[in-house]
Amino acid sequence: MRSVISILDLSTEELDKLIATAKDIIANPVKYQDKCAHKKLATLFFEPSTRTRLSFEAAMMELGGQVLGFSQASSSSASKGESMADTAKIVSCYADIMAIRHPREGAPFVASRNATVPVINAGDGGHNHPTQTLADLLTISRELGRLDNLTIGLCGDLKYGRTVHSLIEAMSRYPGVKFVLIAPEELKLPSYIRYNVLEKLGIPYEEISSLEEAMPQLDVLYMTRIQQERFEDLSVYERLKDSYVLNPEKMALAKEKMCVLHPLPRVNEISVKVDDDPRAAYFRQALNAKYMRMALILMLLEEAERNPQREELDETDLVYDLHCNNPKCISAVEQELPQVFRLTDKEAGIHRCIYCEQKA
Ligand code: NCD
């Protein structure tokens, strides 16, 4: 039995297989309509969501399965102080698979170490959002016909944008990919992605502050929302919130064959005037999300049936005498969670928290 907490939990072959399954579901929906009959998906959403939760639920329903869950932390026992570990053990009694969204980084990972059914990370704080990436990959593949040899511009909140982090991790595995990072100084990509992924794998990237300047070279433009809820100082949010707005004038600078993605919700970073441009793929991307979640649920349930045993935690290079200083980490609020770090860079002696990946 396996969980998907990071996009790196899936190999490139598995990503390609999921895309192929999703395309087959689109072509032959009837073939899949009873595949998950008598199975239940629990959606545990401790943070607001429209697309992610509803597309997970629609995905399970279209596979003939059923859904249960909650859409806000206040209606769960977490509001009474129940730990993530206990919640995961309890939900395992009632559902065959669960999708968790949580404001705390590492919360779905903790759930996966305690659940006896597969856990899917549906977004944890500013950390990861692997199933959004699945939707992004299917969209790029359907819009442009390939996942390699692409110049991908990522614009907006690259610091807290969990969808951006997972997308970079996934796209870095395809040959010929180059990234253009377009962000204000305060919202630049976190160092663990920059060093662990881009630098380590030698992926070309450049940092540009002007969207206009970046436009002509892009095959994909991935816009993101500046996320008010992630800022500790709201005056910083106010200063940055209108940093980038995509409008028809900027679209006029782009290639004829390119696509604009956005995980949504948008606030004002894409003018509604762009919506009718054939290159605007964000609403199709939201539909693709449902098909990829169907493919993922199918894959994880089939695997759990073949092998119900939870995967062992890789104990290599774990250390227990460091402390995580990330205020958004699940370990900052759950006092009984052990502090666990992994030596991720032997040469530089860098340890990272196993929950949130921040440096010790
Ligand atoms: C994103 C998220 O929640 O991380 N939305 C989504 O899941 N489609 C992006 C966002 O909230 O801005």
Side-chain angles (χ1 to χ4, degrees):
M1 181 196 86
R2 203 152 58 118
S3 290
V4 172
I5 304 304
S6 151
I7 197 71
L8 300 176
D9 292 329
L10 297 164
S11 66
T12 315
E13 293 69 39
E14 284 170 327
L15 293 179
D16 294 341
K17 197 175 147 228
L18 288 170
I19 291 170
T21 306
K23 288 180 177 170
D24 193 48
I25 293 171
I26 295 166
N28 308 292
V30 176
K31 191 168 121 191
Y32 292 88
Q33 69 187 9
D34 296 317
K35 289 266 186 202
C36 290
H38 313 295
K39 296 281 185 196
K40 281 169 282 170
L41 162 76
T43 50
L44 318 186
F45 277 60
F46 297 87
E47 223 187 32
S49 165
T50 299
R51 270 152 299 276
T52 306
R53 187 172 63 84
L54 296 187
S55 72
F56 260 114
E57 296 187 354
M60 192 56 168
M61 288 172 184
E62 289 189 26
L63 291 166
Q66 287 168 311
V67 295
L68 67 166
F70 51 83
S71 56
Q72 46 191 13
S74 59
S75 60
S76 79
S77 284
S79 64
K80 302 177 187 166
E82 185 162 56
S83 69
M84 197 65 244
D86 284 1
T87 303
K89 285 177 192 162
I90 297 306
V91 175
S92 299
C93 303
Y94 309 138
D96 302 285
I97 184 163
M98 65 182 98
I100 303 181
R101 166 168 291 191
H102 204 286
R104 292 268 156 202
E105 299 174 6
F109 173 75
V110 172
S112 74
R113 298 315 311 157
N114 290 278
T116 51
V117 301
V119 174
I120 303 173
N121 179 2
D124 61 327
H127 186 211
N128 283 330
H129 196 346
T131 62
Q132 178 62 48
T133 299
L134 296 180
D136 304 342
L137 297 182
L138 178 61
T139 307
I140 297 170
S141 166
R142 293 184 79 192
E143 297 287 323
L144 300 178
R146 65 181 196 281
L147 288 169
D148 54 5
N149 297 306
L150 293 169
T151 298
I152 303 173
L154 300 149
C155 178
D157 182 355
L158 309 190
K159 180 177 181 189
Y160 300 115
R162 54 194 175 194
T163 63
V164 166
H165 307 157
S166 296
L167 183 62
I168 291 179
E169 288 180 334
M171 289 306 301
S172 292
R173 292 149 150 201
Y174 292 92
V177 166
K178 179 189 160 185
F179 294 102
V180 182
L181 309 174
I182 311 150
E185 191 56 37
E186 293 88 339
L187 297 177
K188 281 183 159 180
L189 200 66
S191 68
Y192 78 90
I193 307 272
R194 186 185 304 261
Y195 297 113
N196 277 12
V197 185
L198 299 176
E199 302 274 346
K200 208 177 199 169
L201 301 174
I203 310 285
Y205 70 95
E206 59 178 305
E207 297 187 289
I208 293 190
S209 58
S210 150
L211 178 54
E212 286 90 335
E213 210 179 294
M215 270 328 248
Q217 58 168 317
L218 304 180
D219 300 302
V220 177
L221 171 60
Y222 198 91
M223 293 296 294
T224 60
R225 173 176 70 96
I226 310 285
Q227 304 177 44
Q228 183 178 2
E229 68 274 27
R230 310 270 177 236
F231 285 82
E232 265 152 45
D233 181 350
L234 275 187
S235 67
V236 181
Y237 165 74
E238 285 299 328
R239 184 158 50 76
L240 298 176
K241 70 180 189 331
D242 299 322
S243 298
Y244 298 102
V245 179
L246 183 64
N247 55 24
E249 292 70 47
K250 290 184 189 123
M251 285 303 287
L253 304 170
K255 287 185 188 172
E256 216 167 287
K257 188 147 180 64
M258 59 89 73
C259 61
V260 180
L261 270 59
H262 190 311
L264 302 178
R266 79 169 143 193
V267 184
N268 64 344
E269 59 280 0
I270 302 182
S271 157
V272 292
K273 293 193 198 111
V274 177
D275 294 358
D276 291 332
D277 189 306
R279 296 166 292 182
Y282 29 92
F283 293 117
R284 296 190 286 279
Q285 183 184 0
L287 177 61
N288 287 333
K290 180 182 70 179
Y291 298 122
M292 282 305 261
R293 289 183 173 123
M294 289 173 80
L296 181 66
I297 291 169
L298 263 179
M299 186 188 108
L300 293 180
L301 284 178
E302 276 167 15
E303 258 188 52
E305 207 142 288
R306 272 200 310 276
N307 176 17
Q309 212 58 17
R310 184 170 55 222
E311 269 193 343
E312 293 294 325
L313 179 67
D314 173 9
E315 308 244 353
T316 337
D317 297 325
L318 292 187
V319 300
Y320 299 89
D321 54 357
L322 295 169
H323 186 83
C324 184
N325 294 316
N326 173 11
K328 297 194 165 80
C329 180
I330 183 76
S331 70
V333 284
E334 295 210 352
Q335 302 307 329
E336 290 201 58
L337 258 188
Q339 296 276 336
V340 188
F341 281 74
R342 194 186 299 280
L343 179 62
T344 52
D345 187 335
K346 284 199 179 124
E347 264 166 49
I350 293 173
H351 291 85
R352 293 190 181 273
C353 172
I354 60 160
Y355 309 114
C356 69
E357 294 185 80
Q358 296 282 329
K359 268 198 264 186

